[in-house]
Every structure is written in structure tokens, then in C-alpha cells.
Amino acid sequence: MKQPHCAGLWLCLFLCVLAGCSTMNDAPTTRGEVQGTSASGNEMGQSDLNRVATLGMRDNLHSLYLLMDKLYRRNPAEWKKTAASREESIRRVRDAIELRQSWPALQGQHDIRAMSLALAPDFSGDRVAAFIYSSADMIITAHGGKTEFFLTDGIDAQHIYNAARNIEIAVWMLSNRRNANGGVLLLSDEIGANGRNLSFEREFGKIVGRLDLLAEFTTEKYRRAGINYVQNILGASFLQFLPVR
């Protein structure tokens, strides 16, 4: 006589588990949402390529600033060489990048020459500041020295492609080149007993991906212009009103 009762109990438990699973599956998962920029009058003077280049530059600089903060947190001795706080050092580097000023420790060097100096084993200055500044300067130089682009601006696809490869080389140097004391140039990604931290590699990968996409898109600029022209002609003929009398 107890078996039907037990069977009913197990059935109730099974249905409860299913209901719980259904509730979990139906629960919304929040992983952020795409963020667009506010419309501005400047966009009227930008082609699609100009807009892509402008947004790519904005995001690449943001990635470098994020990496700078992360590198300073892992290498606090670097900002202590020249600043009273990590925040002050970050602000100074950002100002130098965005105002297109030279960085004193790099002896007036820019783009790839500055990167070579920042990643030299015997460099004794704030290596985080020098590396982030020179990387940003190299990327801006590859874009013709500009951070915002309009119809009169041209972009060299090969220079953008080369910038992506330079970032890859710099990341390899950070992980494999040794300083004068035999240690890595800067502590970044970590793989150890306590887990894996590959956030630096992912952020550098975003920069490389944006640069490669822009380089490829730029090579198609004239072909796309021709295609758009033909599409406009065809669209005009198809969208004309037809006579009714």
C-alpha cells in the first residue's frame, strides 16, 4: 500500500526539479549591451570608412588606457618612479598621447623607435608609461597622425596592417624578453597554480583585431565606392513611382 504513495512523492519531486530548471533557463542573462555614440555634426563630413576608423581609434586608445591601469596594478614600482600615484601617472600619459606631446623618458623618439626604446632590456624609466605611450603613438602615426577622420583624410591600409603586427611583436617581447636583472620586462598575463589570468592577451587581441579589420576594409574602399554607385543607380530606377493615368 506504500508503493503508490512513494511513487507519487517521487513524481512530485521530479516535477519540482523540472520547474526549477525551467525557471533557471527562463531567467534573463545580463552580459551588457552594445553602446553607440551620440550623433554629432562631425558625422556629416565622414564616409563609412572615416567613421569606422574614428571609432576604431577611440576603442584602441581606450584599450591601451585599460591595459596601462592593469599593468600599473601588477607593476606598481613603475609609476612610483615618476608620479605620486597611479592615477596621476595615468593622467599624464593620457594627456601626452591626446595632446600629441613627446614623452621625456623616450628622448624625443616616436612610433617604432619609441617602442624599441621602451622595450629595451636596459630601459630604466617608467616602462609602463613608455610602452603605452609609444604603442599609442605608433598606432596614431599609422593612421596618418590623426585620431578623427573626415572625407579629405586618407588611410594607408599597409600602415594599419603593419601597426597590428607591431602590437603582436610588442606583446611577444613583454612575455619573452628579459630585463637587465633577468626578469620579464613587465608582469602581465599569469598562468599558475592559482589560476589563469589572460586578460592582457585578450585586450591586446582586440587592438590587433580592430587594426586588421580596418586594414582589410580600407583595401576595399574604391571597390565599395563603385558598388555603392551602381546600387544607387539601380535603386533609383526601381523606386520611381509608376504613372497611374
Side-chain angles (χ1 to χ4, degrees):
M1 295 296 293
K2 294 182 180 181
Q3 289 182 347
H5 176 73
C6 291
L9 178 61
W10 282 112
L11 179 59
C12 290
L13 289 174
F14 180 69
L15 292 175
C16 289
V17 170
L18 287 180
C21 292
S22 176
T23 302
M24 292 176 63
N25 290 335
D26 292 340
T29 301
T30 302
R31 297 183 182 275
E33 59 183 20
V34 63
Q35 298 292 328
T37 57
S38 301
S40 68
N42 289 342
E43 293 182 42
M44 297 301 296
Q46 294 179 322
S47 65
D48 290 346
L49 176 61
N50 297 149
R51 193 63 186 157
V52 170
T54 298
L55 294 178
M57 176 63 73
R58 180 203 65 184
D59 290 346
N60 282 335
L61 290 180
H62 176 75
S63 288
L64 286 174
Y65 299 149
L66 176 62
L67 285 163
M68 176 166 52
D69 183 58
K70 292 167 69 67
L71 285 169
Y72 272 142
R73 290 177 185 277
R74 292 220 67 196
N75 304 269
E78 297 301 315
W79 64 258
K80 293 179 181 179
K81 294 177 181 178
T82 57
S85 66
R86 186 182 76 256
E87 292 78 12
E88 178 187 346
S89 187
I90 290 174
R91 178 185 55 78
R92 290 171 56 194
V93 176
R94 289 188 61 156
D95 287 346
I97 291 171
E98 294 173 9
L99 297 176
R100 304 295 288 140
Q101 299 171 340
S102 298
W103 190 250
L106 293 173
Q107 306 168 13
Q109 300 296 327
H110 289 275
D111 57 80
I112 57 175
R113 291 185 178 86
M115 291 184 74
S116 296
L117 184 56
L119 295 171
D122 58 350
F123 182 77
S124 59
D126 180 344
R127 195 186 295 276
V128 172
F131 172 62
I132 295 298
Y133 171 87
S134 60
S135 296
D137 189 72
M138 182 273 297
I139 291 175
I140 294 173
T141 299
H143 286 73
K146 298 182 177 182
T147 57
E148 195 171 10
F149 307 91
F150 298 95
L151 292 171
T152 55
D153 297 322
I155 297 176
D156 189 306
Q158 188 63 47
H159 289 166
I160 303 299
Y161 176 87
N162 291 348
R165 306 290 76 76
N166 288 340
I167 292 297
E168 290 177 335
I169 293 169
V171 173
W172 184 90
M173 287 182 175
L174 282 180
S175 301
N176 294 275
R177 184 173 282 185
R178 293 294 183 265
N179 59 28
N181 298 321
V184 295
L185 299 184
L186 290 171
L187 294 175
S188 54
D189 286 331
E190 182 180 19
I191 302 177
N194 296 327
R196 295 163 58 92
N197 175 13
L198 301 178
S199 58
F200 293 89
E201 179 180 320
R202 288 195 296 270
E203 203 63 41
F204 279 120
K206 291 178 183 179
I207 297 174
V208 172
R210 294 186 196 108
L211 292 171
D212 276 337
L213 179 59
L214 177 60
E216 186 172 357
F217 188 43
T218 302
T219 62
E220 298 184 2
K221 176 175 62 176
Y222 297 110
R223 184 169 77 242
R224 291 305 310 172
I227 292 174
N228 289 340
Y229 177 74
V230 173
Q231 289 176 337
N232 288 335
I233 293 176
L234 293 176
S237 63
F238 284 126
L239 295 176
Q240 288 180 350
F241 291 114
L242 301 176
V244 293
R245 62 177 178 177

